[in-house]
Amino acid sequence: MAGNQRVYKQRIRSTQTLQKVFRAMELIASSRIGAARRSAAEAGPYDHALSQAVAAVGTYSGLDHPITREREDTDRVAVVVVTSDRGMAGAYSATILRESERLIEHLVEDGKEPILFTYGRRAQNYFAFRGRTVEHSWTGDSDRPSAEHIEEVATRLLEYFLAPADSGGVAEVHIVFTRYVSMVSQVPEVRRMLPLTVVDLGGPGEINREDIAATQAVQLSAIKGTQPLYEFVPSTSKVLDALLTRYVGSRIRNALLQSAASELASRQQAMHTATDNAEELITTYTRLANAARQADITQEISEIVSGADSLAAE
């Protein structure tokens, strides 16, 4: 029984060490989640203003641009998987990897060739372990994406989409990320970022029809009779080219910021749960250690009494 006491005391010490690690990770995530949520929320007005600008130009140009055209010269499709750099975030990365596998399977069934891009070490290690080729990886700041990293991701994906088929170009760009809803709810999403489409529901990679309609309504309500005339300098195509490039970059930035906030929220919640579970384990091991100690004392007393009875009998 003395051996059992040593085992339980060792487990208590190891669990207490893990509990300190879990608590530290929870505090770090809690200190960063506020900034991540603000960054994701503050990007909204800029994205809306940019959508309005694209809609205004699109009203007079018809959104005829390479970024909005369907490509039929290649079956290659870029898939960007956004996960975390580290673990201890609950099912955050596992959920995204599961959704990415479903997307890849669906694309293969449609006769397309998925080209993998990863953001975060978890996705990079996942595909490397399974022997899958990753075209490009970004790591190091999944919970706090820098402006330079976001710009690099957007530029690289645009280059692949606009490149000729014989130079490795892709026909579509899909991104698998996690949309932040609240501290207890983060929803995995799969979005087609390129080519851009005009749809009735807004989202990453989509130009909302309501934005175009609202822009036209504002423009027409400001005047009576003749419609307004615009002069685009240096030209409509160049203005649209600059706006759509920024639009794609803003949508990718939105997805990465949403993922960063979701990662920190998942980690904070997971570490809080792990800390509570560690406390319960410590309580259980302490009770077992006390029971083993009491059993040892009882056994020693029984041995002393038996010895005294044997001496008295002699």
Side-chain angles (χ1 to χ4, degrees):
M1 299 297 283
N4 288 339
Q5 286 190 62
R6 287 193 294 271
V7 170
Y8 291 136
K9 289 180 179 179
Q10 183 179 4
R11 290 181 179 177
I12 290 173
R13 287 193 295 269
S14 62
T15 305
Q16 286 174 337
T17 301
L18 289 174
Q19 185 183 32
K20 293 178 181 178
V21 174
F22 297 152
R23 181 59 178 168
M25 296 294 292
E26 178 187 358
L27 292 176
I28 293 173
S30 299
S31 65
R32 294 180 177 177
I33 184 63
R37 291 170 60 186
R38 285 194 301 273
S39 297
E42 290 172 356
Y46 173 77
D47 293 340
H48 180 69
L50 194 56
S51 298
Q52 292 283 348
V54 172
V57 181
T59 301
Y60 296 93
S61 66
L63 289 177
D64 184 17
H65 190 273
I67 293 179
T68 63
R69 299 172 191 160
E70 297 285 345
R71 293 188 59 172
E72 299 179 355
D73 57 341
T74 179
D75 292 329
R76 290 162 53 91
V77 176
V79 178
V80 186
V81 183
V82 183
T83 62
S84 62
D85 285 319
R86 297 173 295 166
M88 295 187 175
Y92 170 76
S93 294
T95 302
I96 289 296
L97 293 173
R98 185 164 54 250
E99 291 295 328
S100 66
E101 289 287 4
R102 292 176 182 171
L103 173 61
I104 292 171
E105 182 179 354
H106 177 71
L107 292 174
V108 172
E109 290 177 353
D110 289 344
K112 300 178 181 179
E113 178 187 357
I115 307 300
L116 293 173
F117 294 80
T118 62
Y119 191 91
R121 288 193 180 90
R122 304 296 288 185
Q124 182 186 34
N125 295 338
Y126 174 85
F127 292 112
F129 179 76
R130 285 157 178 77
R132 299 185 185 179
T133 302
V134 176
E135 190 75 9
H136 193 82
S137 296
W138 294 275
T139 60
D141 59 355
S142 64
D143 58 345
R144 288 188 295 182
S146 62
E148 293 78 10
H149 242 161
I150 294 173
E151 182 69 21
E152 181 184 350
V153 173
T155 302
R156 182 66 61 92
L157 295 177
L158 275 171
E159 288 176 352
Y160 269 82
F161 181 74
L162 296 176
D166 54 2
S167 298
V170 298
E172 298 175 3
V173 175
H174 297 259
I175 185 169
V176 188
F177 70 104
T178 307
R179 178 169 56 86
Y180 177 84
V181 179
S182 66
M183 287 295 296
V184 296
S185 177
Q186 300 85 41
V187 182
E189 289 196 3
V190 178
R191 293 284 184 176
R192 192 182 79 163
M193 305 298 288
L194 292 170
L196 292 178
T197 54
V198 182
V199 297
D200 293 325
L201 297 177
E206 300 169 350
I207 303 174
N208 198 336
R209 291 185 191 275
E210 295 177 357
D211 285 339
I212 296 178
T215 301
Q216 292 174 330
V218 170
Q219 293 169 348
L220 297 178
S221 63
I223 53 97
K224 294 181 179 179
T226 60
Q227 296 186 359
L229 298 176
Y230 285 86
E231 181 179 357
F232 299 99
V233 179
S235 65
T236 305
S237 61
K238 290 185 178 181
V239 172
L240 186 61
D241 180 70
L243 282 176
L244 287 179
T245 301
R246 290 180 178 271
Y247 182 82
V248 173
S250 73
R251 290 308 189 182
I252 293 176
R253 178 168 60 94
N254 180 275
L256 295 181
L257 292 177
Q258 291 281 339
S259 295
S262 298
E263 176 186 344
L264 291 171
S266 297
R267 180 169 289 115
Q268 191 273 337
Q269 186 178 8
M271 291 300 96
H272 179 76
T273 302
T275 302
D276 292 343
N277 292 340
E279 184 65 31
E280 294 180 3
L281 278 177
I282 292 172
T283 301
T284 301
Y285 288 145
T286 300
R287 290 174 180 171
L288 292 174
N290 290 337
R293 179 173 175 273
Q294 292 172 0
D296 287 344
I297 294 173
T298 302
Q299 183 178 359
E300 291 175 0
I301 293 175
S302 299
E303 291 174 353
I304 292 173
V305 172
S306 298
D309 289 343
S310 298
L311 291 175
E314 294 179 356

